[in-house]
Amino acid sequence: DAGVTQSPTHLIKTRGQQVTLRCSPISGHKSVSWYQQVLGQGPQFIFQYYEKEERGRGNFPDRFSARQFPNYSSELNVNALLLGDSALYLCASSPGQGRHEQYFGPGTRLTVT
Amino acid sequence: KNQVEQSPQSLIILEGKNCTLQCNYTVSPFSNLRWYKQDTGRGPVSLTIMTFSENTKSNGRYTATLDADTKQSSLHITASQLSDSASYICVVSVGAGGTSYGKLTFGQGTILTVHP
């Protein structure tokens, strides 16, 4: 079975641009969470979606938005990119909310210049 | 404020040796604690997950312990291998109640380097 997949693998953008990152969860999983991991730090929670509804939001500005589609895949959008948005963006899927194990994708490395 | 702190920040050991990584947390209410292994530039991979009632859990050469009273956990790696070189992240899940249910709080990780 395929694990969590993310695209693209790497991305280079310029300050002020917009970016869309994509995530496909493990088949059967209905929850997708997004995390930002700055180099040398642990991941920081951005969003959780379950059954296509936002169920949790971390301390990130409104420039960050996400959505989940009927097939449970998800997109993370970041507008007006800043240099500080450069990070590894991780997507994790789980069967449901709460105590379920989360399975992480390989991440998308975003570099903002 | 929910926090997870790990120590040491980094660790260098020789192949074949054992080591222990520490994790202290202040997350409340507590649901479960997880240890992940993250290779450079890759997504974290789960090693163990423990609930409130579990004191220890093993996964091959990895053994995690949990003391819910003192809010401490440790990850013990035995007979280390070169492939164990990675960042090890302690993650605590918030328990039932409120909108934070299931939210994960990550530690900053311990970078382990195993030398031949």
Side-chain angles (χ1 to χ4, degrees), chain A residues 4-5 21-34 48-53 55 66-76 91-97:
Chain A
V4 178
T5 59
L21 312 180
R22 296 176 176 82
C23 171
S24 292
I26 292 172
S27 178
H29 285 194
K30 299 181 178 181
S31 178
V32 170
S33 298
W34 286 95
Q48 181 188 38
Y49 276 78
Y50 176 65
E51 287 285 15
K52 292 156 283 184
E53 291 187 8
R55 301 301 180 113
R67 56 180 175 169
Q68 187 176 34
F69 298 99
N71 66 354
Y72 301 109
S73 66
S74 177
E75 286 183 351
L76 174 70
C91 170
S93 81
S94 63
Q97 286 186 281

Side-chain angles (χ1 to χ4, degrees), chain A residues 35 37 40-43 45 55 88 90 98-102 104-106 109, chain B residues 31-32 34 36 38 41-44 46 49 99 101-104 106-108:
Chain A
Y35 298 86
Q37 185 175 25
Q41 297 182 20
F45 172 72
R55 301 301 180 113
L88 180 68
L90 296 165
R99 298 180 178 84
H100 295 283
E101 179 62 73
Q102 291 201 7
F104 285 84
R109 171 69 63 187
Chain B
S31 176
N32 58 67
R34 314 156 188 227
Y36 284 90
Q38 185 176 24
R42 306 295 297 273
S46 177
I49 178 170
T99 58
Y101 181 62
K103 178 181 175 181
L104 301 184
F106 288 75
Q108 81 280 14

